[in-house]
Amino acid sequence: MFKKLPGDEASRLVSTTPDTAVVFRPAVVQTPAILTVAIAVWRILAGALALVWRHPIALTVTAGLGVIWTRYGYLHVLALAGLAVAAGLSWALVDRPSFLRLVGWPLLAWWRLVTVYRRHWQPVMIVSGLGRHLRGRDCLPRLLAVTCTPWADLITVKMLSGQPVTDWTNRTEHLAHGFGATSSRITVQRSGRLLLTFPRSDPLAVPLPAVPIPETASAGPVQVGSQENGDPWLLKLHGTHVLVAGATGAGKGSVIWSAIRGLLPAVRAGLVQVWALDPKLMELSYGRAIFGDRYAADPDACADLLDATVKVMQERAGRFAGLQRNHTPTVDNPFVLVVVDEVAFLTAYQSDKHLRQRITAALATLTTQGRAVGVGVLAALQDPRKEVMNIRNLFPDKIALRLDESEQVDMVLGDGARDRGALADLISPRPEAGAGVGYIRLETSPDRYVFGRHTSPTPTSGQWLPSSPRWVRPYDADSLPRRPAMRGVPLSQRPVAGSGMRAGRVPGVRTDRRDASG
């Protein structure tokens, strides 16, 4: 029986235990020396060809310096090196962006590849469980490329065959600490290929100056801040609905005011109307001169205002039916933005059940039918649970500012958002560092999360618009357009812009600039 098994039998098999396994030594095949030498030579040649193919410029420069050193001496090499350094410094001083793009960031990427990622790749992959040890060899994901930006390292990785993306999203903390970063994010580039983002610094840690008021009238997108990569954060309001969720002091009010401020030229031109619901009475009341009759704070008045908005929406739908499917803001048919601060007070905390159901039904109607006819909803709340806001999934675009619990991140941004790097619960609770910082989930890119920060100045004396670095003079009633007396007239019967009355004009704005605080 033993003679039929491969390998040499272990000599003197002695065992007093019936279930003891019999161990055999595998057969050893003697490889000819000439074959070993041929394989080694082939590997050297293949490596040399790959080196020339991947780094032609570096090899050419090195070879050229070697020839000059051999023929003319090392002094000429030192002179050329000094000339190259002087040219690089001059280039960096004259055109720093192009120097960093073509020289600085590629050099930093090469240095980080050699000293950080390639050096620690094997132990991090094995310890985190992303690599496999099979038949005496390590099977590791392949490190394809390292790219540096002003704020982060971008690592392109080819996964192992048959490896799921969840293996990576569940190990973001392992990867971050393994490579010396504060956090990491996972993005799927295409099948079998991932993009790992390791921030080197936090460009949003410093408060940003408020964005200037646009010169032209437009319904959006409006710039409300900056993204982590330095690109402007453009918030789309027309053609969508936006839900802003964040704990107390996270900056929800400033997001709202930044959006309103970006629409001021369009409001002045009559292309946009802002209808405000302010049950807290402490946020949107500063803009009563802008909102005019379209401002409500009492729950009954909020319900009436929402019913009036639904009536406007349905009237437009009847006129647009069979003629158009997309809305273009005009003076006759302006874009109507319904802003609701602390929407949970109206949909969950309101003691009047009938009023609560009426408000929820109106909001559900607007969010399901409004955007095609030019009606959008911008709502803010603190608690994103379903029992508090059961229509949160009707908002295509969602913004998660600082949240109290990790589970709330997935409630706002969708399942698995936190595993993919949206760490809204870890945003700093200090206002100067974390207020206004958040993650945005867009309808057009549901699996990607934009990391941005909006701006908000510190209020001083006088009447002011939050999130604006330009302080507004107190409104003069005589400078506003005269409105007909509306006392006693139901909101649903009051005229709106496009039906005989223009939207109120915003008075002039001073040009005093101030820095914004988170």
Side-chain angles (χ1 to χ4, degrees):
M1 175 180 176
F2 290 159
K3 293 181 179 179
K4 294 180 180 180
L5 298 176
D8 298 332
E9 298 183 30
S11 61
R12 299 178 183 178
L13 294 175
V14 178
S15 175
T16 58
T17 305
D19 58 350
T20 300
V22 179
V23 180
F24 292 86
R25 292 183 303 174
V28 178
V29 179
Q30 300 294 333
T31 304
I34 187 62
L35 183 59
T36 303
V37 173
I39 293 175
V41 171
W42 168 253
R43 289 180 177 177
I44 293 174
L45 293 177
L49 291 176
L51 184 64
V52 174
W53 176 262
R54 294 176 182 177
H55 310 285
I57 298 178
L59 290 177
T60 301
V61 172
T62 302
L65 292 177
V67 171
I68 294 175
W69 189 319
T70 303
R71 298 193 59 179
Y72 303 103
Y74 70 94
L75 293 179
H76 292 77
V77 175
L78 294 178
L80 289 176
L83 182 62
V85 172
L89 292 176
S90 302
W91 183 8
L93 293 175
V94 174
D95 191 358
R96 182 179 178 83
S98 64
F99 174 81
L100 292 176
R101 184 178 69 255
L102 298 176
V103 179
W105 302 132
L107 283 178
L108 179 60
W110 174 82
W111 178 255
R112 299 280 294 175
L113 171 65
V114 174
T115 61
V116 178
Y117 298 107
R118 185 173 292 172
R119 178 183 179 185
H120 300 289
W121 189 255
Q122 190 267 352
V124 171
M125 292 296 106
I126 295 298
V127 172
S128 63
L130 295 173
R132 299 292 185 271
H133 188 78
L134 301 175
R135 296 182 180 181
R137 57 177 299 184
D138 291 333
C139 298
L140 305 177
R142 185 177 176 186
L143 176 61
L144 298 179
V146 176
T147 305
C148 286
T149 66
W151 65 278
D153 296 338
L154 307 180
I155 315 300
T156 304
V157 178
K158 183 178 180 181
M159 297 189 299
L160 296 176
S161 299
Q163 189 176 40
V165 180
T166 53
D167 282 359
W168 292 79
T169 57
N170 292 335
R171 293 170 172 82
T172 54
E173 295 183 0
H174 301 73
L175 296 172
H177 294 290
F179 294 115
T182 56
S183 63
S184 65
R185 300 166 204 165
I186 311 295
T187 305
V188 179
Q189 283 190 328
R190 59 184 178 87
S191 178
R193 186 165 296 187
L194 301 177
L195 181 66
L196 312 183
T197 303
F198 296 102
R200 296 192 311 273
S201 61
D202 185 5
L204 303 178
V206 179
L208 307 173
V211 180
I213 297 177
E215 299 293 337
T216 59
S218 173
V222 296
Q223 183 177 353
V224 297
S226 177
Q227 299 181 30
E228 193 174 36
N229 59 5
D231 295 338
W233 173 12
L234 301 178
L235 180 61
K236 180 181 177 181
L237 298 169
H238 179 250
T240 188
H241 308 292
V242 182
L243 178 65
V244 183
T248 301
K252 299 184 298 297
S254 196
V255 172
I256 292 176
W257 277 112
S258 296
I260 295 175
R261 182 168 168 271
L263 294 174
L264 286 180
V267 173
R268 183 185 298 115
L271 300 178
V272 173
Q273 293 178 357
V274 181
W275 299 38
L277 281 70
D278 187 24
K280 193 170 63 174
L281 282 171
M282 298 302 296
E283 190 64 51
L284 300 179
S285 57
Y286 294 102
R288 291 177 181 176
I290 299 176
F291 310 137
D293 294 332
R294 307 178 189 95
Y295 172 85
D298 183 78
D300 291 325
C302 290
D304 292 339
L305 189 62
L306 287 175
D307 289 340
T309 312
V310 171
K311 185 175 181 179
V312 171
M313 179 199 71
Q314 293 173 344
E315 186 272 334
R316 283 190 186 179
R319 288 189 289 110
F320 292 172
L323 299 177
Q324 65 184 66
R325 298 186 61 181
N326 296 320
H327 174 261
T328 300
T330 62
V331 175
D332 294 330
N333 295 295
F335 167 54
V336 177
L337 177 64
V338 181
V339 180
V340 188
D341 184 43
E342 298 297 344
V343 65
F345 175 79
L346 301 175
T347 61
Y349 307 143
Q350 175 57 236
S351 58
D352 190 335
K353 180 179 179 181
H354 174 71
L355 194 61
R356 184 171 65 247
Q357 293 176 346
R358 179 182 165 195
I359 292 174
T360 302
L363 286 174
T365 303
L366 292 175
T367 51
T368 54
Q369 305 176 24
R371 64 176 182 171
V373 295
V375 178
V377 178
L378 172 60
L381 79 164
Q382 297 183 27
D383 190 349
R385 291 176 298 171
K386 272 286 187 180
E387 54 267 27
V388 175
M389 185 66 173
N390 58 3
I391 61 172
R392 68 172 187 236
N393 289 337
L394 299 180
F395 290 82
D397 297 341
K398 302 178 181 68
I399 300 174
L401 303 178
R402 178 176 57 84
L403 297 172
D404 293 327
E405 302 173 1
S406 59
E407 293 81 5
Q408 293 179 346
V409 178
D410 290 351
M411 294 179 187
V412 179
L413 302 178
D415 291 340
R418 193 182 188 280
D419 292 337
R420 289 190 289 270
L423 306 178
D425 58 306
L426 299 183
I427 296 175
S428 175
R430 295 184 295 111
E432 64 274 11
V437 178
Y439 295 84
I440 306 98
R441 181 185 189 270
L442 303 177
E443 179 186 22
T444 55
S445 56
D447 292 332
R448 301 184 64 184
Y449 303 95
V450 181
F451 193 50
R453 181 171 191 164
H454 61 80
T455 55
S456 173
T458 303
T460 59
S461 60
Q463 189 168 358
W464 53 280
L465 283 178
S467 75
S468 171
R470 304 165 184 256
W471 302 98
V472 180
R473 294 192 296 268
Y475 290 101
D476 183 4
D478 295 333
S479 65
L480 296 175
R482 295 294 181 182
R483 302 178 182 271
M486 293 288 115
R487 186 175 303 237
V489 179
L491 285 172
S492 60
Q493 299 179 10
R494 296 181 183 180
V496 296
S499 60
M501 183 175 67
R502 290 288 299 275
R505 297 177 63 86
V506 179
V509 179
R510 297 176 61 183
T511 58
D512 301 328
R513 292 295 301 271
R514 293 179 63 89
D515 289 338
S517 65

